[in-house]
Amino acid sequence: MSLRSHVDDDEKGTATPLEIVEDPDAHLSAEERAAIDRKLVWKLDLYMIPWLSLLYLLAFLDRTNVGNAKIDGLQKSLHLTTGQYNAALSIFFVSYSVFEPLTNVLLKRLRPSIFIPIIVTIWGICMTCMGYVENWSGLMAARWFLGLAEAGLFPGINYFLSCWYKRSEFGVRAAIFFSAAAVAGSFGGLLAAAIENLDGTHGRPGWAWIFIIEGAITIGFGVLSFFMVHDFPDTATFLSEQDRARVVRRLKADQQSSAEHEEFKMAYFWAAVTDWKMWLGMTIYMGAAMPLYAFSLFLPSIVSELGYTTTKAQLMSVPPYACAAVLTVVVGYYADRTRRRGWSNICISLLGIAGFAMLLGSQKPHVKYGGVFLSACGIYPCIANTISWVSDNHEGVYKRGIVLGFVIGWGNLNGVVSSNIYFHAPKYTVGHATIMAYMIAFLLGGSLLMHFSLRRENAARLSGKRDHLTHGMSDEEAEKLGDRRPDFLYTL
């Protein structure tokens, strides 16, 4: 029986239990099956992770390069007040957040191989247009459409990857994918330092060339993505029919339904918005996302206030991002192996809190630069880890997609806050203090509450207190409960 026949059955409303998905390796020994599984995961990694990470690197580079452009003269050239510059930063997050919850449904309906290349190409065009703006209104319009086009990438790819990997495998992949944001910070500083030498070429200032060149690069990768981005497991063309069956079976064994082809129903939406874990996940994520965007947008300015020249300031912003990228992957690997995502958030957030305390409490350049390192290392790993944590604990294709859309959308809406708290250089007291408050109350406090709440629920399930939820149900009916099934244990 082919995998396609099982998918067709599911489209008619029939579940696909593990035992009726044909096992192509039933005749093999455990060692041979394990070897095939390792090769399969390695194949998935090679076909998906590098390219998707590269796209996110471009996305983060394009949304935050305005900080590099600022210290290269953007604000002076366009005659922007501080309020106008901050408004141009904020408007990106408004359009980004408004459209983000819708994008995972569009991704599922249009297919990743169509949806992702289209939005990458569109935001590349928006980025290029930013290099030709002449006033504040033009900058505002370009940033609005940039946010609209980028809205689908981060939640979409996290959702997409969660439909391919086991929960114990997803975290490190999400971390590698998100570490591209930190690499973008490093690369952005180096690239901006090089591009600013084009100042005056064809009558355009150096900051404009930052937008034009980086936008053109993005357009090129958007076109290539039509050939490089793949679809969900049941239709992926780079896999044989046997490999597609293996992916479905390994996800089923991990208590996931993510390889199945569901039709959207409003019941999935209501299941998501009535789940307390989604709302607490939104709280935790906002405690990391707002500091992330504030840090990314204003790091070049913070470093330049330490007394460095424009080019030196661009280059001095590179090392903190590099450290954050490495730690993001290390934390992702550790959390996957130990399933201690909550404690990872709790411990890493303390680094960030200490870093911003150093920035807030000292005016010595070397102390503040050290604080920048701790701040970066305390923010970036928590973003990827929180997304993995939320994804692990919500089962069902559409439910998980909707939850991730809300969580990431709400976190990014707090980017509006990040765009309006940095003023009164060089102390930036309000900015640093606001970020500390977010990290203490929402990231640290929310992670503690989530960890202990899930631990209590797991204990109730292990003791049989939730068994009544599936009383009288068939296996197929019980499976439709998703993460509410009594045998589904949450990742702590």
PDB file of all heavy atoms in Angstrom, residues 44-66:
ATOM      1  N   LEU A  44      17.595  15.070   5.413  1.00  0.00           N
ATOM      2  CA  LEU A  44      16.671  16.167   5.679  1.00  0.00           C
ATOM      3  C   LEU A  44      17.435  17.435   6.048  1.00  0.00           C
ATOM      4  O   LEU A  44      17.117  18.533   5.578  1.00  0.00           O
ATOM      5  CB  LEU A  44      15.708  15.799   6.823  1.00  0.00           C
ATOM      6  CG  LEU A  44      14.814  14.578   6.634  1.00  0.00           C
ATOM      7  CD1 LEU A  44      13.892  14.405   7.835  1.00  0.00           C
ATOM      8  CD2 LEU A  44      13.996  14.700   5.352  1.00  0.00           C
ATOM      9  N   ASP A  45      18.443  17.274   6.892  1.00  0.00           N
ATOM     10  CA  ASP A  45      19.243  18.429   7.314  1.00  0.00           C
ATOM     11  C   ASP A  45      19.904  19.114   6.121  1.00  0.00           C
ATOM     12  O   ASP A  45      19.871  20.340   5.991  1.00  0.00           O
ATOM     13  CB  ASP A  45      20.318  17.996   8.318  1.00  0.00           C
ATOM     14  CG  ASP A  45      19.744  17.621   9.669  1.00  0.00           C
ATOM     15  OD1 ASP A  45      18.593  18.003   9.956  1.00  0.00           O
ATOM     16  OD2 ASP A  45      20.446  16.936  10.437  1.00  0.00           O
ATOM     17  N   LEU A  46      20.513  18.325   5.253  1.00  0.00           N
ATOM     18  CA  LEU A  46      21.239  18.897   4.118  1.00  0.00           C
ATOM     19  C   LEU A  46      20.309  19.604   3.139  1.00  0.00           C
ATOM     20  O   LEU A  46      20.671  20.638   2.567  1.00  0.00           O
ATOM     21  CB  LEU A  46      22.019  17.803   3.384  1.00  0.00           C
ATOM     22  CG  LEU A  46      23.260  17.249   4.092  1.00  0.00           C
ATOM     23  CD1 LEU A  46      23.892  16.138   3.263  1.00  0.00           C
ATOM     24  CD2 LEU A  46      24.279  18.363   4.352  1.00  0.00           C
ATOM     25  N   TYR A  47      19.127  19.061   2.945  1.00  0.00           N
ATOM     26  CA  TYR A  47      18.213  19.633   1.968  1.00  0.00           C
ATOM     27  C   TYR A  47      17.473  20.861   2.490  1.00  0.00           C
ATOM     28  O   TYR A  47      17.008  21.684   1.683  1.00  0.00           O
ATOM     29  CB  TYR A  47      17.182  18.585   1.512  1.00  0.00           C
ATOM     30  CG  TYR A  47      17.629  17.773   0.316  1.00  0.00           C
ATOM     31  CD1 TYR A  47      18.436  16.648   0.474  1.00  0.00           C
ATOM     32  CD2 TYR A  47      17.262  18.132  -0.976  1.00  0.00           C
ATOM     33  CE1 TYR A  47      18.860  15.901  -0.618  1.00  0.00           C
ATOM     34  CE2 TYR A  47      17.678  17.386  -2.078  1.00  0.00           C
ATOM     35  CZ  TYR A  47      18.480  16.277  -1.889  1.00  0.00           C
ATOM     36  OH  TYR A  47      18.891  15.550  -2.976  1.00  0.00           O
ATOM     37  N   MET A  48      17.348  21.005   3.807  1.00  0.00           N
ATOM     38  CA  MET A  48      16.497  22.082   4.331  1.00  0.00           C
ATOM     39  C   MET A  48      17.222  23.122   5.172  1.00  0.00           C
ATOM     40  O   MET A  48      17.043  24.328   4.962  1.00  0.00           O
ATOM     41  CB  MET A  48      15.339  21.470   5.128  1.00  0.00           C
ATOM     42  CG  MET A  48      14.349  20.728   4.251  1.00  0.00           C
ATOM     43  SD  MET A  48      12.859  20.218   5.121  1.00  0.00           S
ATOM     44  CE  MET A  48      13.533  18.962   6.196  1.00  0.00           C
ATOM     45  N   ILE A  49      18.014  22.695   6.148  1.00  0.00           N
ATOM     46  CA  ILE A  49      18.532  23.635   7.138  1.00  0.00           C
ATOM     47  C   ILE A  49      19.434  24.715   6.538  1.00  0.00           C
ATOM     48  O   ILE A  49      19.245  25.909   6.829  1.00  0.00           O
ATOM     49  CB  ILE A  49      19.271  22.887   8.266  1.00  0.00           C
ATOM     50  CG1 ILE A  49      18.322  21.876   8.941  1.00  0.00           C
ATOM     51  CG2 ILE A  49      19.805  23.878   9.300  1.00  0.00           C
ATOM     52  CD1 ILE A  49      17.094  22.490   9.565  1.00  0.00           C
ATOM     53  N   PRO A  50      20.441  24.397   5.703  1.00  0.00           N
ATOM     54  CA  PRO A  50      21.329  25.457   5.202  1.00  0.00           C
ATOM     55  C   PRO A  50      20.590  26.549   4.427  1.00  0.00           C
ATOM     56  O   PRO A  50      20.823  27.742   4.653  1.00  0.00           O
ATOM     57  CB  PRO A  50      22.318  24.699   4.305  1.00  0.00           C
ATOM     58  CG  PRO A  50      22.312  23.306   4.827  1.00  0.00           C
ATOM     59  CD  PRO A  50      20.900  23.061   5.256  1.00  0.00           C
ATOM     60  N   TRP A  51      19.716  26.151   3.526  1.00  0.00           N
ATOM     61  CA  TRP A  51      19.048  27.145   2.698  1.00  0.00           C
ATOM     62  C   TRP A  51      18.069  27.997   3.507  1.00  0.00           C
ATOM     63  O   TRP A  51      18.012  29.221   3.359  1.00  0.00           O
ATOM     64  CB  TRP A  51      18.312  26.482   1.531  1.00  0.00           C
ATOM     65  CG  TRP A  51      17.838  27.490   0.523  1.00  0.00           C
ATOM     66  CD1 TRP A  51      16.587  28.017   0.393  1.00  0.00           C
ATOM     67  CD2 TRP A  51      18.627  28.126  -0.484  1.00  0.00           C
ATOM     68  NE1 TRP A  51      16.530  28.928  -0.626  1.00  0.00           N
ATOM     69  CE2 TRP A  51      17.781  29.011  -1.187  1.00  0.00           C
ATOM     70  CE3 TRP A  51      19.965  28.036  -0.869  1.00  0.00           C
ATOM     71  CZ2 TRP A  51      18.230  29.804  -2.242  1.00  0.00           C
ATOM     72  CZ3 TRP A  51      20.407  28.822  -1.928  1.00  0.00           C
ATOM     73  CH2 TRP A  51      19.552  29.685  -2.604  1.00  0.00           C
ATOM     74  N   LEU A  52      17.294  27.358   4.376  1.00  0.00           N
ATOM     75  CA  LEU A  52      16.327  28.101   5.185  1.00  0.00           C
ATOM     76  C   LEU A  52      17.040  29.046   6.148  1.00  0.00           C
ATOM     77  O   LEU A  52      16.568  30.162   6.405  1.00  0.00           O
ATOM     78  CB  LEU A  52      15.421  27.131   5.956  1.00  0.00           C
ATOM     79  CG  LEU A  52      14.534  26.228   5.084  1.00  0.00           C
ATOM     80  CD1 LEU A  52      13.716  25.285   5.950  1.00  0.00           C
ATOM     81  CD2 LEU A  52      13.607  27.069   4.199  1.00  0.00           C
ATOM     82  N   SER A  53      18.184  28.603   6.682  1.00  0.00           N
ATOM     83  CA  SER A  53      18.969  29.474   7.565  1.00  0.00           C
ATOM     84  C   SER A  53      19.494  30.687   6.801  1.00  0.00           C
ATOM     85  O   SER A  53      19.512  31.808   7.322  1.00  0.00           O
ATOM     86  CB  SER A  53      20.142  28.698   8.179  1.00  0.00           C
ATOM     87  OG  SER A  53      19.684  27.636   8.987  1.00  0.00           O
ATOM     88  N   LEU A  54      19.910  30.455   5.565  1.00  0.00           N
ATOM     89  CA  LEU A  54      20.400  31.551   4.734  1.00  0.00           C
ATOM     90  C   LEU A  54      19.289  32.572   4.467  1.00  0.00           C
ATOM     91  O   LEU A  54      19.520  33.792   4.510  1.00  0.00           O
ATOM     92  CB  LEU A  54      20.936  30.996   3.415  1.00  0.00           C
ATOM     93  CG  LEU A  54      21.515  32.007   2.424  1.00  0.00           C
ATOM     94  CD1 LEU A  54      22.677  32.767   3.046  1.00  0.00           C
ATOM     95  CD2 LEU A  54      21.970  31.297   1.155  1.00  0.00           C
ATOM     96  N   LEU A  55      18.078  32.086   4.228  1.00  0.00           N
ATOM     97  CA  LEU A  55      16.958  33.002   4.004  1.00  0.00           C
ATOM     98  C   LEU A  55      16.669  33.830   5.248  1.00  0.00           C
ATOM     99  O   LEU A  55      16.369  35.030   5.152  1.00  0.00           O
ATOM    100  CB  LEU A  55      15.703  32.220   3.594  1.00  0.00           C
ATOM    101  CG  LEU A  55      15.750  31.496   2.251  1.00  0.00           C
ATOM    102  CD1 LEU A  55      14.411  30.839   1.956  1.00  0.00           C
ATOM    103  CD2 LEU A  55      16.141  32.452   1.123  1.00  0.00           C
ATOM    104  N   TYR A  56      16.766  33.206   6.434  1.00  0.00           N
ATOM    105  CA  TYR A  56      16.508  33.981   7.652  1.00  0.00           C
ATOM    106  C   TYR A  56      17.640  34.966   7.926  1.00  0.00           C
ATOM    107  O   TYR A  56      17.397  36.057   8.459  1.00  0.00           O
ATOM    108  CB  TYR A  56      16.301  33.057   8.858  1.00  0.00           C
ATOM    109  CG  TYR A  56      15.781  33.830  10.052  1.00  0.00           C
ATOM    110  CD1 TYR A  56      14.562  34.508   9.969  1.00  0.00           C
ATOM    111  CD2 TYR A  56      16.502  33.911  11.230  1.00  0.00           C
ATOM    112  CE1 TYR A  56      14.084  35.239  11.036  1.00  0.00           C
ATOM    113  CE2 TYR A  56      16.024  34.646  12.311  1.00  0.00           C
ATOM    114  CZ  TYR A  56      14.814  35.305  12.206  1.00  0.00           C
ATOM    115  OH  TYR A  56      14.346  36.042  13.268  1.00  0.00           O
ATOM    116  N   LEU A  57      18.853  34.595   7.569  1.00  0.00           N
ATOM    117  CA  LEU A  57      19.963  35.541   7.678  1.00  0.00           C
ATOM    118  C   LEU A  57      19.654  36.796   6.850  1.00  0.00           C
ATOM    119  O   LEU A  57      19.835  37.935   7.323  1.00  0.00           O
ATOM    120  CB  LEU A  57      21.259  34.895   7.190  1.00  0.00           C
ATOM    121  CG  LEU A  57      22.557  35.705   7.318  1.00  0.00           C
ATOM    122  CD1 LEU A  57      23.743  34.766   7.480  1.00  0.00           C
ATOM    123  CD2 LEU A  57      22.797  36.606   6.104  1.00  0.00           C
ATOM    124  N   LEU A  58      19.173  36.606   5.631  1.00  0.00           N
ATOM    125  CA  LEU A  58      18.826  37.738   4.780  1.00  0.00           C
ATOM    126  C   LEU A  58      17.671  38.536   5.367  1.00  0.00           C
ATOM    127  O   LEU A  58      17.669  39.779   5.323  1.00  0.00           O
ATOM    128  CB  LEU A  58      18.459  37.239   3.375  1.00  0.00           C
ATOM    129  CG  LEU A  58      19.595  36.599   2.567  1.00  0.00           C
ATOM    130  CD1 LEU A  58      19.044  35.976   1.290  1.00  0.00           C
ATOM    131  CD2 LEU A  58      20.665  37.633   2.226  1.00  0.00           C
ATOM    132  N   ALA A  59      16.676  37.838   5.931  1.00  0.00           N
ATOM    133  CA  ALA A  59      15.521  38.525   6.516  1.00  0.00           C
ATOM    134  C   ALA A  59      15.940  39.408   7.672  1.00  0.00           C
ATOM    135  O   ALA A  59      15.534  40.577   7.767  1.00  0.00           O
ATOM    136  CB  ALA A  59      14.484  37.494   6.982  1.00  0.00           C
ATOM    137  N   PHE A  60      16.756  38.861   8.568  1.00  0.00           N
ATOM    138  CA  PHE A  60      17.161  39.636   9.740  1.00  0.00           C
ATOM    139  C   PHE A  60      18.111  40.756   9.342  1.00  0.00           C
ATOM    140  O   PHE A  60      18.065  41.853   9.904  1.00  0.00           O
ATOM    141  CB  PHE A  60      17.807  38.723  10.782  1.00  0.00           C
ATOM    142  CG  PHE A  60      17.588  39.194  12.189  1.00  0.00           C
ATOM    143  CD1 PHE A  60      16.407  38.892  12.848  1.00  0.00           C
ATOM    144  CD2 PHE A  60      18.539  39.959  12.853  1.00  0.00           C
ATOM    145  CE1 PHE A  60      16.176  39.336  14.137  1.00  0.00           C
ATOM    146  CE2 PHE A  60      18.322  40.406  14.135  1.00  0.00           C
ATOM    147  CZ  PHE A  60      17.139  40.098  14.797  1.00  0.00           C
ATOM    148  N   LEU A  61      18.936  40.490   8.362  1.00  0.00           N
ATOM    149  CA  LEU A  61      19.846  41.521   7.863  1.00  0.00           C
ATOM    150  C   LEU A  61      19.052  42.684   7.281  1.00  0.00           C
ATOM    151  O   LEU A  61      19.349  43.866   7.542  1.00  0.00           O
ATOM    152  CB  LEU A  61      20.748  40.910   6.784  1.00  0.00           C
ATOM    153  CG  LEU A  61      21.868  41.772   6.215  1.00  0.00           C
ATOM    154  CD1 LEU A  61      22.923  42.053   7.276  1.00  0.00           C
ATOM    155  CD2 LEU A  61      22.504  41.059   5.019  1.00  0.00           C
ATOM    156  N   ASP A  62      18.009  42.375   6.520  1.00  0.00           N
ATOM    157  CA  ASP A  62      17.231  43.412   5.850  1.00  0.00           C
ATOM    158  C   ASP A  62      16.360  44.205   6.806  1.00  0.00           C
ATOM    159  O   ASP A  62      16.055  45.375   6.549  1.00  0.00           O
ATOM    160  CB  ASP A  62      16.368  42.789   4.748  1.00  0.00           C
ATOM    161  CG  ASP A  62      17.192  42.304   3.561  1.00  0.00           C
ATOM    162  OD1 ASP A  62      18.377  42.681   3.480  1.00  0.00           O
ATOM    163  OD2 ASP A  62      16.666  41.534   2.739  1.00  0.00           O
ATOM    164  N   ARG A  63      15.936  43.596   7.904  1.00  0.00           N
ATOM    165  CA  ARG A  63      15.078  44.346   8.821  1.00  0.00           C
ATOM    166  C   ARG A  63      15.875  45.200   9.802  1.00  0.00           C
ATOM    167  O   ARG A  63      15.347  46.163  10.353  1.00  0.00           O
ATOM    168  CB  ARG A  63      14.151  43.399   9.589  1.00  0.00           C
ATOM    169  CG  ARG A  63      14.758  42.700  10.778  1.00  0.00           C
ATOM    170  CD  ARG A  63      13.778  41.795  11.480  1.00  0.00           C
ATOM    171  NE  ARG A  63      13.312  40.724  10.618  1.00  0.00           N
ATOM    172  CZ  ARG A  63      12.700  39.625  11.056  1.00  0.00           C
ATOM    173  NH1 ARG A  63      12.480  39.475  12.340  1.00  0.00           N
ATOM    174  NH2 ARG A  63      12.320  38.689  10.213  1.00  0.00           N
ATOM    175  N   THR A  64      17.144  44.839  10.061  1.00  0.00           N
ATOM    176  CA  THR A  64      17.923  45.555  11.069  1.00  0.00           C
ATOM    177  C   THR A  64      19.042  46.410  10.487  1.00  0.00           C
ATOM    178  O   THR A  64      19.701  47.144  11.228  1.00  0.00           O
ATOM    179  CB  THR A  64      18.536  44.568  12.075  1.00  0.00           C
ATOM    180  OG1 THR A  64      19.384  43.633  11.396  1.00  0.00           O
ATOM    181  CG2 THR A  64      17.451  43.809  12.822  1.00  0.00           C
ATOM    182  N   ASN A  65      19.272  46.340   9.175  1.00  0.00           N
ATOM    183  CA  ASN A  65      20.368  47.126   8.613  1.00  0.00           C
ATOM    184  C   ASN A  65      20.111  48.629   8.680  1.00  0.00           C
ATOM    185  O   ASN A  65      21.008  49.434   8.447  1.00  0.00           O
ATOM    186  CB  ASN A  65      20.678  46.702   7.174  1.00  0.00           C
ATOM    187  CG  ASN A  65      19.491  46.821   6.241  1.00  0.00           C
ATOM    188  OD1 ASN A  65      18.476  47.423   6.575  1.00  0.00           O
ATOM    189  ND2 ASN A  65      19.609  46.226   5.062  1.00  0.00           N
ATOM    190  N   VAL A  66      18.882  49.013   9.035  1.00  0.00           N
ATOM    191  CA  VAL A  66      18.586  50.425   9.217  1.00  0.00           C
ATOM    192  C   VAL A  66      19.419  51.007  10.363  1.00  0.00           C
ATOM    193  O   VAL A  66      19.749  52.197  10.368  1.00  0.00           O
ATOM    194  CB  VAL A  66      17.070  50.636   9.451  1.00  0.00           C
ATOM    195  CG1 VAL A  66      16.619  50.042  10.774  1.00  0.00           C
ATOM    196  CG2 VAL A  66      16.709  52.118   9.383  1.00  0.00           C
TER     197      VAL A  66
END
